[in-house]
Amino acid sequence: MLDDVDERATNGNPQVDRWMSPKIGFIGLGLMGTAMAANLAADGRELCAYVRRPERINDLQALGVVATTRRPDLFDSDIIITMLPDDAAVRNVFFGQFGISESLRPGVIHLSMSTISTGASAALLLEHERRGQGYVAAPVFGNPDAARARQLSVIVAGAPVSCDRCRPVTDSLGQTFVIGKDPAQANLIKLLGNMMTATTLEVLGEIVTVLRKRGQDPQQFVDIMTGTMFDSRVHKNYGSRLVAGSYKPGLTMPLALKDVRLALAEAEMAGAPMPSVGVVRDRLITGIARGHGELDWTALGMVASEEAGL
């Protein structure tokens, strides 16, 4: 993981300087986006974040992030990062009724770090290319704590020259994996990776429930398994959170359900059933129906406990 700021001197040529230190616009200042923008600002990068609510400006300023409620303040950006909840939000920002795409200069790069569908990613690529703009998909694995610690895994795909221009930015946020030229492939990897986490949370929730009903200490089980066969960050972090009943988001259940539905749609297009993910979908729907929609997707463990009468 590369956390250091690029301290190479520039030669005074404005074109070279903008290549080495691009002006960054940031749209999508939720939990993840705020942590990411704060890290980029801490690196000394020229960054301006768009927010809809003026009351957020002072809070972001305290984190070192310059914020604005005026979209035109982003129009001279070299790279615009989006960290938004879904396909529609990303499309609307650029190509909706008040979208910014027509006001951006040719050559600007849209660095899409949102978890969106492959179809939306492919459509965004075509729209940006038609305007002479670049598009790079760079969805991330990790929660807000990982974002703050610069431990995100960033899955990058797009035109090589555009990926190279974005590389200092993605390296500042965590570990970069450049996987090819087709942006949609990065989004597919992100969706399927999230399904590995989702099914892990479901299984962990079921196991913790069984252990509790049998009178055993579930943390002891988590410690044994994560110290031997399941020594992964997902099992360690989420296992302990499930045991502790820690459901602070993170990724809320409705957003997790959105990702599950997108992944199931991809599986259907591929003619490859994912029955275990179908179970997770139903459990998320149950959790939301029971009023747990504001909780993290670790609340799948709560659903398992409720189903068992705990």
Side-chain angles (χ1 to χ4, degrees):
M1 181 173 64
L2 302 178
D3 292 337
D4 297 333
V5 178
D6 190 344
E7 296 178 348
R8 291 175 288 182
T10 62
N11 65 3
N13 182 322
Q15 290 183 331
V16 174
D17 290 352
R18 286 178 77 83
W19 178 278
M20 298 298 294
S21 183
K23 184 172 183 179
I24 301 169
F26 205 114
I27 303 174
L29 278 290
L31 294 172
M32 290 287 290
T34 296
M36 294 159 67
N39 281 338
L40 292 172
D43 289 343
R45 301 185 185 279
E46 187 178 1
L47 181 144
C48 183
Y50 169 78
V51 292
R52 289 180 296 178
R53 303 197 310 273
E55 61 269 23
R56 293 215 58 201
I57 291 177
N58 289 337
D59 293 338
L60 290 166
Q61 188 174 11
L63 296 173
V65 177
V66 175
T68 180
T69 56
R70 298 183 66 257
R71 292 190 182 190
D73 291 339
L74 273 60
F75 289 171
D76 63 342
S77 300
D78 301 299
I79 297 171
I80 293 186
I81 297 171
T82 52
M83 191 64 182
L84 294 163
D86 55 32
D87 294 11
V90 181
R91 279 196 300 264
N92 286 339
V93 161
F94 281 93
F95 308 113
Q97 183 179 1
F98 302 104
I100 65 174
S101 60
E102 300 298 340
S103 301
L104 299 176
R105 60 179 177 77
V108 67
I109 297 173
H110 174 195
L111 182 61
S112 174
M113 307 192 80
S114 310
T115 302
I116 60 176
S117 70
T118 61
S121 192
L124 289 168
L125 172 64
L126 292 176
E127 289 289 348
H128 282 300
E129 285 182 337
R130 188 165 64 84
R131 292 166 174 80
Q133 300 160 357
Y135 176 73
V136 174
V140 302
F141 290 111
N143 58 23
D145 289 336
R148 284 185 284 270
R150 301 176 187 262
Q151 293 178 354
L152 298 174
S153 298
V154 188
I155 313 302
V156 175
V161 66
S162 296
C163 292
D164 287 345
R165 287 187 64 192
C166 295
R167 185 67 186 259
V169 175
T170 60
D171 283 347
S172 291
L173 300 173
Q175 186 175 8
T176 301
F177 298 86
V178 180
I179 59 99
K181 299 179 181 179
D182 181 2
Q185 293 303 305
N187 299 107
L188 181 61
I189 287 174
K190 166 60 176 173
L191 288 171
L192 296 180
N194 272 15
M195 295 311 96
M196 293 184 70
T197 302
T199 52
T200 297
L201 290 174
E202 174 61 27
V203 170
L204 281 170
E206 293 173 8
I207 289 171
V208 165
T209 298
V210 171
L211 289 166
R212 283 187 170 139
K213 295 209 76 172
R214 294 298 300 270
Q216 294 192 23
D217 178 9
Q219 186 61 56
Q220 181 185 59
F221 173 88
V222 170
D223 291 341
I224 291 170
M225 301 311 293
T226 58
T228 54
M229 295 185 293
F230 295 94
D231 184 18
S232 74
R233 198 161 71 186
V234 169
H235 288 90
K236 285 183 176 180
N237 292 348
Y238 285 123
S240 294
R241 287 186 63 186
L242 277 165
V243 171
S246 175
Y247 306 129
K248 179 182 177 182
L251 183 69
T252 62
M253 297 188 89
L255 286 177
L257 179 59
K258 178 265 297 184
D259 292 353
V260 165
R261 285 171 167 158
L262 290 178
L264 287 171
E266 298 290 345
E268 184 175 349
M269 284 189 289
M274 290 198 296
S276 60
V277 177
V279 171
V280 174
R281 176 198 56 208
D282 293 346
R283 302 286 259 191
L284 287 167
I285 292 171
T286 298
I288 294 167
R290 289 178 175 173
H292 307 325
E294 297 300 316
L295 301 180
D296 190 75
W297 58 344
T298 49
L300 283 166
M302 178 187 290
V303 175
S305 292
E306 291 173 347
E307 291 287 286
L310 292 179

